Coordinates of all heavy atoms in Angstrom, one line a residue:
M1 N 136.8 22.0 133.3 CA 135.8 22.7 134.1 C 134.4 22.6 133.5 O 134.2 22.8 132.3 CB 136.2 24.2 134.1 CG 135.3 25.1 134.9 SD 135.7 26.9 134.9 CE 137.3 26.9 135.6
T2 N 133.5 22.2 134.3 CA 132.1 22.1 133.8 C 131.5 23.4 133.5 O 132.0 24.5 134.0 CB 131.2 21.4 134.9 OG1 131.0 22.2 136.0 CG2 131.8 20.0 135.3
L3 N 130.4 23.4 132.8 CA 129.7 24.7 132.5 C 129.2 25.3 133.7 O 129.3 26.6 133.9 CB 128.6 24.4 131.5 CG 127.7 25.6 131.1 CD1 128.6 26.8 130.5 CD2 126.7 25.2 130.1
N4 N 128.7 24.6 134.6 CA 128.1 25.1 135.9 C 129.3 25.8 136.7 O 129.1 26.9 137.2 CB 127.4 24.1 136.7 CG 126.1 23.7 136.2 OD1 125.8 24.0 135.0 ND2 125.3 23.1 137.0
T5 N 130.4 25.1 136.8 CA 131.6 25.7 137.5 C 132.0 27.0 136.8 O 132.3 28.0 137.5 CB 132.7 24.7 137.6 OG1 132.2 23.5 138.3 CG2 133.9 25.3 138.3
Q6 N 132.1 27.0 135.5 CA 132.5 28.2 134.8 C 131.5 29.3 135.0 O 131.9 30.5 135.2 CB 132.5 27.8 133.3 CG 133.1 28.9 132.4 CD 133.2 28.5 131.0 OE1 132.8 27.4 130.6 NE2 133.8 29.4 130.1
L7 N 130.2 29.0 135.0 CA 129.2 30.1 135.3 C 129.3 30.6 136.7 O 129.2 31.9 136.9 CB 127.8 29.5 135.1 CG 127.4 29.2 133.7 CD1 126.1 28.4 133.6 CD2 127.3 30.5 132.9
K8 N 129.6 29.8 137.7 CA 129.7 30.3 139.0 C 131.0 31.2 139.1 O 130.9 32.2 139.8 CB 129.9 29.1 140.0 CG 128.6 28.3 140.1 CD 128.9 27.1 141.0 CE 127.8 26.1 140.9 NZ 128.0 24.9 141.8
T9 N 132.1 30.8 138.5 CA 133.3 31.6 138.5 C 133.1 32.9 137.9 O 133.5 34.0 138.4 CB 134.4 30.8 137.8 OG1 134.6 29.6 138.5 CG2 135.7 31.6 137.8
I10 N 132.4 33.0 136.7 CA 132.1 34.2 136.0 C 131.2 35.1 136.9 O 131.4 36.3 137.1 CB 131.4 33.9 134.7 CG1 132.4 33.3 133.7 CG2 130.8 35.2 134.1 CD1 131.8 32.7 132.4
L11 N 130.2 34.5 137.5 CA 129.2 35.2 138.3 C 129.9 35.9 139.5 O 129.7 37.1 139.7 CB 128.2 34.2 138.8 CG 127.1 34.8 139.8 CD1 126.0 35.4 138.9 CD2 126.5 33.7 140.6
V12 N 130.7 35.2 140.2 CA 131.4 35.7 141.4 C 132.3 36.9 141.0 O 132.4 37.9 141.6 CB 132.1 34.6 142.2 CG1 133.1 35.2 143.2 CG2 131.1 33.7 142.9
A13 N 133.1 36.6 139.9 CA 134.1 37.7 139.5 C 133.4 38.9 138.9 O 133.7 40.0 139.2 CB 135.0 37.0 138.5
A14 N 132.5 38.7 137.9 CA 131.8 39.8 137.2 C 131.0 40.6 138.1 O 130.9 41.9 138.0 CB 131.0 39.3 136.0
L15 N 130.3 40.0 139.1 CA 129.4 40.7 140.0 C 130.1 41.1 141.3 O 129.4 41.7 142.2 CB 128.1 39.9 140.3 CG 127.3 39.5 139.0 CD1 126.1 38.7 139.4 CD2 127.0 40.7 138.2
N16 N 131.3 40.8 141.4 CA 132.1 41.2 142.6 C 131.4 40.7 143.9 O 131.2 41.5 144.8 CB 132.4 42.7 142.6 CG 133.5 43.0 143.5 OD1 134.4 42.2 143.8 ND2 133.5 44.2 144.1
I17 N 131.0 39.5 143.9 CA 130.3 39.0 145.0 C 131.3 38.7 146.2 O 132.2 38.0 146.0 CB 129.5 37.7 144.7 CG1 128.4 38.0 143.6 CG2 128.9 37.0 145.9 CD1 127.7 36.8 143.1
Q18 N 131.0 39.3 147.3 CA 131.9 39.2 148.4 C 131.5 38.0 149.3 O 130.4 37.7 149.5 CB 131.9 40.5 149.2 CG 132.2 41.7 148.5 CD 133.7 41.7 148.0 OE1 134.6 41.5 148.8 NE2 133.9 42.0 146.7
N19 N 132.5 37.4 149.9 CA 132.3 36.4 150.9 C 131.7 35.1 150.4 O 131.1 34.4 151.2 CB 131.6 36.9 152.2 CG 132.3 38.1 152.8 OD1 133.5 38.1 152.9 ND2 131.5 39.1 153.1
V20 N 131.6 34.9 149.1 CA 131.1 33.7 148.5 C 132.1 33.2 147.5 O 132.4 33.9 146.6 CB 129.7 33.9 147.9 CG1 129.2 32.6 147.2 CG2 128.7 34.4 148.9
M21 N 132.5 32.0 147.6 CA 133.4 31.4 146.6 C 132.5 30.6 145.6 O 131.4 30.2 146.0 CB 134.3 30.4 147.3 CG 135.2 31.0 148.3 SD 136.3 32.3 147.6 CE 137.3 31.3 146.5
P22 N 132.9 30.5 144.4 CA 132.1 29.8 143.4 C 131.6 28.4 143.8 O 130.5 28.1 143.6 CB 133.0 29.7 142.2 CG 133.9 30.9 142.3 CD 134.2 31.0 143.8
D23 N 132.5 27.7 144.5 CA 132.1 26.3 144.9 C 131.1 26.3 146.1 O 130.5 25.3 146.4 CB 133.3 25.4 145.3 CG 134.1 26.0 146.4 OD1 133.9 27.1 146.9 OD2 135.0 25.2 146.9
Q24 N 130.8 27.5 146.6 CA 129.8 27.6 147.7 C 128.4 27.9 147.2 O 127.4 28.0 147.9 CB 130.2 28.7 148.7 CG 131.4 28.4 149.4 CD 131.9 29.6 150.3 OE1 131.8 30.7 149.9 NE2 132.4 29.3 151.5
I25 N 128.3 28.1 145.8 CA 127.0 28.3 145.2 C 126.4 27.0 144.8 O 127.0 26.3 143.9 CB 127.1 29.3 144.1 CG1 127.7 30.6 144.5 CG2 125.7 29.5 143.4 CD1 128.0 31.6 143.4
D26 N 125.2 26.7 145.3 CA 124.5 25.4 144.9 C 123.9 25.6 143.5 O 123.5 26.7 143.1 CB 123.4 25.1 145.9 CG 122.8 23.7 145.5 OD1 123.4 22.7 145.8 OD2 121.7 23.8 145.0
D27 N 123.9 24.6 142.7 CA 123.4 24.7 141.3 C 122.0 25.1 141.2 O 121.5 25.6 140.2 CB 123.6 23.4 140.5 CG 125.1 23.1 140.3 OD1 125.9 24.0 140.3 OD2 125.4 21.9 139.9
D28 N 121.2 24.8 142.3 CA 119.8 25.1 142.3 C 119.4 26.2 143.2 O 118.3 26.5 143.5 CB 119.0 23.8 142.7 CG 119.0 22.8 141.6 OD1 118.8 23.1 140.4 OD2 119.2 21.6 141.9
E29 N 120.4 26.9 143.7 CA 120.2 28.1 144.6 C 119.6 29.2 143.8 O 120.2 29.6 142.7 CB 121.6 28.5 145.2 CG 121.5 29.7 146.2 CD 122.8 30.0 146.8 OE1 123.7 29.1 146.8 OE2 122.9 31.0 147.4
P30 N 118.6 29.9 144.3 CA 118.0 31.1 143.6 C 119.1 32.2 143.5 O 119.8 32.5 144.5 CB 116.9 31.5 144.5 CG 116.6 30.4 145.3 CD 117.8 29.6 145.5
L31 N 119.2 32.7 142.3 CA 120.2 33.8 142.1 C 119.7 35.1 142.6 O 120.4 36.0 143.0 CB 120.6 33.8 140.6 CG 121.3 32.6 140.0 CD1 121.6 32.7 138.6 CD2 122.6 32.3 140.8
F32 N 118.4 35.3 142.5 CA 117.7 36.5 143.0 C 116.8 36.2 144.1 O 116.1 35.2 144.2 CB 117.0 37.1 141.8 CG 117.9 37.5 140.7 CD1 118.2 36.6 139.7 CD2 118.5 38.7 140.6 CE1 119.1 36.9 138.6 CE2 119.4 39.1 139.6 CZ 119.7 38.2 138.6
G33 N 116.7 37.2 145.1 CA 115.8 37.0 146.2 C 116.3 36.0 147.2 O 115.6 35.6 148.1
G34 N 117.6 35.7 147.2 CA 118.1 34.7 148.2 C 119.4 35.3 148.8 O 119.7 36.5 148.8
R35 N 120.3 34.4 149.2 CA 121.5 34.6 149.9 C 122.5 35.5 149.1 O 123.2 36.4 149.6 CB 122.2 33.3 150.2 CG 123.6 33.4 150.8 CD 124.1 32.0 151.1 NE 124.4 31.2 149.9 CZ 125.6 31.0 149.5 NH1 126.6 31.5 150.1 NH2 125.8 30.2 148.4
L36 N 122.5 35.4 147.7 CA 123.4 36.2 146.9 C 123.0 37.7 146.8 O 123.8 38.5 146.4 CB 123.5 35.6 145.5 CG 124.1 34.1 145.5 CD1 124.1 33.6 144.1 CD2 125.5 34.1 146.1
E37 N 121.7 38.0 147.1 CA 121.2 39.3 147.1 C 121.5 40.1 145.7 O 121.8 41.2 145.7 CB 121.8 40.1 148.2 CG 121.4 39.6 149.6 CD 122.0 40.3 150.7 OE1 122.6 41.4 150.5 OE2 121.9 39.9 151.9
L38 N 121.3 39.4 144.6 CA 121.5 40.0 143.3 C 120.3 40.8 143.0 O 119.2 40.6 143.4 CB 121.7 38.9 142.3 CG 122.9 38.0 142.5 CD1 123.0 37.0 141.3 CD2 124.2 38.8 142.7
D39 N 120.5 41.9 142.2 CA 119.4 42.8 141.8 C 119.3 42.9 140.3 O 120.0 42.2 139.5 CB 119.6 44.1 142.5 CG 120.9 44.8 142.1 OD1 121.5 44.6 141.1 OD2 121.3 45.7 142.9
S40 N 118.5 43.9 139.8 CA 118.3 44.0 138.4 C 119.5 44.5 137.6 O 119.7 44.1 136.5 CB 117.1 45.0 138.1 OG 117.4 46.3 138.7
I41 N 120.4 45.2 138.3 CA 121.7 45.6 137.6 C 122.5 44.4 137.5 O 123.2 44.2 136.4 CB 122.4 46.7 138.5 CG1 121.5 48.0 138.6 CG2 123.8 47.0 137.9 CD1 121.2 48.6 137.3
D42 N 122.5 43.5 138.4 CA 123.3 42.3 138.3 C 122.7 41.4 137.2 O 123.5 40.8 136.5 CB 123.2 41.5 139.6 CG 123.9 42.2 140.8 OD1 125.0 42.8 140.6 OD2 123.3 42.2 141.9
A43 N 121.4 41.4 137.0 CA 120.8 40.7 135.9 C 121.3 41.2 134.6 O 121.7 40.4 133.7 CB 119.3 40.7 136.0
L44 N 121.4 42.5 134.4 CA 121.9 43.0 133.2 C 123.4 42.6 132.9 O 123.8 42.3 131.8 CB 121.8 44.6 133.2 CG 120.4 45.2 133.2 CD1 120.5 46.7 133.4 CD2 119.7 44.8 131.9
E45 N 124.2 42.6 134.0 CA 125.6 42.2 133.9 C 125.7 40.7 133.5 O 126.5 40.3 132.7 CB 126.3 42.5 135.2 CG 127.8 42.1 135.2 CD 128.6 42.9 134.1 OE1 128.3 44.0 133.8 OE2 129.6 42.3 133.7
M46 N 124.8 39.9 134.1 CA 124.8 38.5 133.8 C 124.5 38.3 132.3 O 125.1 37.4 131.6 CB 123.9 37.7 134.7 CG 124.4 37.6 136.1 SD 123.2 36.9 137.2 CE 123.0 35.3 136.6
V47 N 123.5 39.0 131.8 CA 123.1 38.9 130.4 C 124.3 39.3 129.5 O 124.6 38.6 128.5 CB 121.9 39.8 130.1 CG1 121.7 39.9 128.5 CG2 120.6 39.2 130.7
Y48 N 125.0 40.3 129.9 CA 126.2 40.8 129.1 C 127.3 39.7 129.2 O 127.9 39.3 128.2 CB 126.7 42.1 129.7 CG 128.1 42.4 129.2 CD1 128.3 42.9 127.9 CD2 129.2 42.2 130.0 CE1 129.5 43.2 127.4 CE2 130.5 42.5 129.5 CZ 130.7 43.0 128.3 OH 131.9 43.3 127.8
Q49 N 127.5 39.1 130.4 CA 128.5 38.1 130.5 C 128.2 36.8 129.7 O 129.1 36.2 129.1 CB 128.7 37.7 132.0 CG 129.3 38.8 132.8 CD 130.7 39.2 132.4 OE1 131.5 38.4 132.0 NE2 131.0 40.5 132.5
V50 N 127.0 36.4 129.6 CA 126.6 35.3 128.8 C 126.9 35.5 127.3 O 127.4 34.7 126.6 CB 125.1 34.9 129.0 CG1 124.6 34.0 128.0 CG2 124.8 34.4 130.4
E51 N 126.6 36.7 126.9 CA 126.9 37.1 125.5 C 128.4 37.1 125.3 O 128.9 36.6 124.3 CB 126.2 38.4 125.1 CG 126.4 38.7 123.6 CD 125.5 39.7 123.1 OE1 124.7 40.3 123.9 OE2 125.5 40.0 121.9
K52 N 129.1 37.7 126.2 CA 130.6 37.8 126.0 C 131.3 36.5 126.0 O 132.1 36.2 125.2 CB 131.1 38.7 127.2 CG 132.6 38.8 127.2 CD 133.0 39.7 128.5 CE 134.5 39.6 128.7 NZ 134.9 40.3 129.9
H53 N 130.9 35.6 127.0 CA 131.6 34.4 127.1 C 131.1 33.2 126.3 O 131.9 32.3 125.9 CB 131.6 33.9 128.6 CG 132.4 34.8 129.5 ND1 133.8 34.5 129.7 CD2 132.1 35.8 130.3 CE1 134.3 35.4 130.5 NE2 133.3 36.2 130.9
F54 N 129.8 33.3 125.9 CA 129.2 32.1 125.2 C 128.6 32.5 123.8 O 128.2 31.6 123.1 CB 128.2 31.5 126.1 CG 128.7 31.0 127.4 CD1 128.5 31.8 128.5 CD2 129.5 29.9 127.5 CE1 129.0 31.4 129.8 CE2 130.0 29.5 128.7 CZ 129.8 30.2 129.8
G55 N 128.6 33.8 123.5 CA 128.1 34.2 122.2 C 126.6 34.1 122.1 O 126.1 34.0 121.0
I56 N 125.9 34.1 123.2 CA 124.4 33.9 123.2 C 123.8 35.2 123.8 O 124.1 35.6 124.9 CB 124.1 32.7 124.1 CG1 124.7 31.5 123.5 CG2 122.6 32.6 124.3 CD1 124.6 30.3 124.5
A57 N 122.9 35.8 123.0 CA 122.2 36.9 123.4 C 120.8 36.5 124.0 O 120.1 35.8 123.4 CB 121.9 37.9 122.2
I58 N 120.6 37.0 125.2 CA 119.3 36.9 125.8 C 118.5 38.2 125.5 O 118.8 39.2 126.0 CB 119.4 36.7 127.4 CG1 120.2 35.4 127.7 CG2 118.0 36.6 128.0 CD1 120.6 35.2 129.1
R59 N 117.5 38.0 124.7 CA 116.9 39.2 124.0 C 115.7 39.8 124.7 O 115.4 41.0 124.5 CB 116.5 38.9 122.6 CG 117.7 38.4 121.8 CD 117.7 38.8 120.4 NE 118.9 38.4 119.7 CZ 120.0 39.0 119.5 NH1 120.1 40.2 120.1 NH2 121.0 38.5 118.9
D60 N 115.0 39.1 125.6 CA 113.8 39.7 126.2 C 113.7 39.3 127.7 O 114.4 38.4 128.1 CB 112.5 39.5 125.5 CG 112.0 38.0 125.6 OD1 112.1 37.4 126.7 OD2 111.6 37.5 124.5
K61 N 112.9 40.1 128.4 CA 112.9 39.9 129.9 C 112.3 38.6 130.3 O 112.7 38.0 131.3 CB 112.2 41.1 130.6 CG 110.7 41.2 130.3 CD 110.1 42.3 131.0 CE 108.6 42.4 130.7 NZ 108.0 43.6 131.4
N62 N 111.3 38.0 129.5 CA 110.8 36.7 129.9 C 111.8 35.6 129.7 O 111.9 34.7 130.5 CB 109.5 36.4 129.0 CG 108.4 37.4 129.4 OD1 108.3 37.8 130.5 ND2 107.6 37.7 128.4
E63 N 112.6 35.7 128.6 CA 113.7 34.8 128.4 C 114.7 34.9 129.5 O 115.2 33.9 130.1 CB 114.3 35.1 127.0 CG 115.1 34.0 126.4 CD 115.5 34.4 125.0 OE1 114.7 34.6 124.1 OE2 116.7 34.6 124.8
A64 N 115.1 36.1 129.9 CA 116.0 36.3 131.0 C 115.5 35.8 132.3 O 116.2 35.2 133.0 CB 116.4 37.8 131.1
R65 N 114.3 36.1 132.6 CA 113.7 35.7 133.8 C 113.7 34.1 134.0 O 114.1 33.6 135.0 CB 112.2 36.1 134.0 CG 111.6 35.9 135.3 CD 110.2 36.5 135.4 NE 110.3 38.0 135.4 CZ 109.6 38.7 134.5 NH1 108.9 38.2 133.6 NH2 109.8 40.0 134.6
A66 N 113.5 33.4 132.9 CA 113.5 32.0 132.9 C 114.9 31.4 133.0 O 115.2 30.5 133.8 CB 112.8 31.4 131.7
A67 N 115.8 32.1 132.3 CA 117.2 31.6 132.3 C 118.0 31.9 133.5 O 118.9 31.1 133.9 CB 118.0 32.2 131.1
L68 N 117.7 33.0 134.2 CA 118.5 33.5 135.3 C 118.0 33.1 136.7 O 118.3 33.7 137.7 CB 118.7 35.0 135.2 CG 119.4 35.5 133.9 CD1 119.4 37.0 133.9 CD2 120.8 35.0 133.8
Q69 N 117.2 32.0 136.8 CA 116.7 31.6 138.0 C 117.8 31.0 138.9 O 117.9 31.3 140.1 CB 115.6 30.6 137.9 CG 114.3 31.3 137.3 CD 113.2 30.2 137.1 OE1 113.1 29.3 137.8 NE2 112.4 30.4 136.1
T70 N 118.5 30.0 138.4 CA 119.6 29.3 139.1 C 120.7 29.0 138.1 O 120.6 29.3 136.9 CB 119.1 27.9 139.6 OG1 118.8 27.1 138.5 CG2 117.8 28.1 140.5
I71 N 121.8 28.5 138.6 CA 122.9 28.1 137.8 C 122.5 27.0 136.8 O 122.8 27.0 135.6 CB 124.1 27.6 138.6 CG1 124.8 28.8 139.4 CG2 125.2 26.9 137.8 CD1 125.4 29.9 138.5
N72 N 121.7 26.1 137.3 CA 121.2 25.0 136.4 C 120.3 25.5 135.3 O 120.4 25.1 134.2 CB 120.4 24.0 137.2 CG 121.3 22.9 137.8 OD1 122.4 22.6 137.3 ND2 120.9 22.3 138.9
T73 N 119.4 26.5 135.6 CA 118.6 27.0 134.5 C 119.4 27.8 133.5 O 119.1 27.7 132.3 CB 117.4 27.9 135.0 OG1 117.9 29.0 135.8 CG2 116.4 27.1 135.9
L74 N 120.4 28.5 134.0 CA 121.3 29.2 133.0 C 122.1 28.3 132.2 O 122.2 28.5 131.0 CB 122.2 30.2 133.8 CG 123.1 31.1 133.0 CD1 122.3 31.9 131.9 CD2 123.8 32.1 133.9
S75 N 122.6 27.3 132.8 CA 123.4 26.3 132.1 C 122.5 25.6 131.1 O 123.0 25.4 129.9 CB 123.9 25.2 133.1 OG 124.6 24.2 132.5
D76 N 121.3 25.2 131.4 CA 120.4 24.6 130.5 C 120.1 25.5 129.3 O 120.0 25.1 128.1 CB 119.1 24.2 131.1 CG 119.2 23.0 132.1 OD1 120.3 22.3 132.0 OD2 118.3 22.8 132.9
Y77 N 119.9 26.8 129.6 CA 119.6 27.8 128.5 C 120.8 27.9 127.6 O 120.6 27.8 126.3 CB 119.3 29.1 129.2 CG 119.1 30.2 128.1 CD1 117.8 30.3 127.6 CD2 120.1 31.0 127.7 CE1 117.6 31.3 126.6 CE2 119.8 32.0 126.8 CZ 118.6 32.1 126.2 OH 118.4 33.1 125.2
I78 N 122.0 27.9 128.1 CA 123.2 28.0 127.2 C 123.3 26.8 126.4 O 123.6 26.8 125.2 CB 124.4 28.3 128.1 CG1 124.4 29.7 128.7 CG2 125.7 28.1 127.3 CD1 125.4 30.0 129.7
T79 N 123.1 25.6 127.0 CA 123.3 24.4 126.3 C 122.2 24.3 125.2 O 122.6 23.9 124.1 CB 123.1 23.2 127.3 OG1 124.1 23.3 128.3 CG2 123.3 21.9 126.6
R80 N 121.0 24.6 125.5 CA 119.9 24.6 124.4 C 120.2 25.6 123.3 O 120.1 25.2 122.1 CB 118.6 24.8 125.0 CG 117.9 23.7 125.7 CD 116.5 23.9 126.0 NE 116.2 25.3 126.6 CZ 116.2 25.6 127.8 NH1 116.6 24.8 128.7 NH2 115.9 26.9 128.2
S81 N 120.7 26.8 123.7 CA 120.9 27.8 122.7 C 122.1 27.5 121.8 O 122.1 27.9 120.6 CB 121.2 29.1 123.4 OG 120.1 29.6 124.1
K82 N 123.0 26.7 122.3 CA 124.2 26.3 121.5 C 123.9 25.0 120.7 O 124.8 24.5 120.0 CB 125.4 26.2 122.3 CG 126.0 27.6 122.8 CD 127.3 27.4 123.5 CE 128.4 28.1 123.0 NZ 128.5 28.9 121.8
G83 N 122.7 24.5 120.9 CA 122.4 23.2 120.2 C 123.1 22.0 120.7 O 123.3 21.0 120.0
L84 N 123.5 22.1 122.0 CA 124.3 20.9 122.6 C 123.4 20.0 123.3 O 123.8 19.0 123.8 CB 125.3 21.5 123.6 CG 126.3 22.4 123.0 CD1 127.2 23.0 124.0 CD2 127.2 21.7 121.9
Y85 N 122.1 20.3 123.4 CA 121.1 19.4 124.1 C 120.6 18.3 123.2 O 120.3 18.5 122.1 CB 120.0 20.3 124.6 CG 119.6 20.1 126.0 CD1 118.9 21.1 126.6 CD2 120.0 19.0 126.8 CE1 118.6 21.0 128.0 CE2 119.7 18.9 128.1 CZ 119.0 19.9 128.7 OH 118.6 19.8 130.0

């Protein structure tokens, strides 16, 4: 399973997103302000999930804002943080 696929699966399950399957989320689709209708509480949950699943803490709002734009930006953030880039 690719990192992007794993992130989509975690996102749908942890945020209890209805009527959207992980494979229906485009890697460049905006996570906030778009079709998924995620809000600030969802952002907090996503930060928690990233730490839980990947051992990476997103420590400030500017970092979170940049990382949580799309699946691709989150995947890139995780990859860079783990030194895999």
Side-chain angles (χ1 to χ4, degrees):
M1 178 183 302
T2 68
L3 178 55
N4 284 18
T5 301
Q6 188 176 3
L7 288 170
K8 293 175 196 181
T9 302
I10 291 167
L11 179 83
V12 169
L15 302 180
N16 196 29
I17 297 174
Q18 301 295 312
N19 303 319
V20 177
M21 300 299 294
D23 63 351
Q24 295 174 320
I25 301 171
D26 185 76
D27 291 343
D28 290 315
E29 180 175 348
L31 298 177
F32 297 90
R35 173 177 70 104
L36 298 176
E37 300 180 6
L38 302 183
D39 60 23
S40 59
I41 300 299
D42 296 320
L44 293 173
E45 180 63 26
M46 288 173 65
V47 167
Y48 169 75
Q49 293 297 324
V50 167
E51 187 164 0
K52 176 181 170 186
H53 290 274
F54 303 101
I56 297 168
I58 300 174
R59 302 215 181 268
D60 69 44
K61 68 180 179 180
N62 292 329
E63 200 173 294
R65 189 175 292 124
L68 300 177
Q69 292 179 32
T70 67
I71 292 296
N72 274 334
T73 60
L74 184 54
S75 177
D76 288 346
Y77 178 82
I78 292 168
T79 301
R80 281 193 317 273
S81 295
K82 289 187 123 350
L84 300 175
Y85 232 160

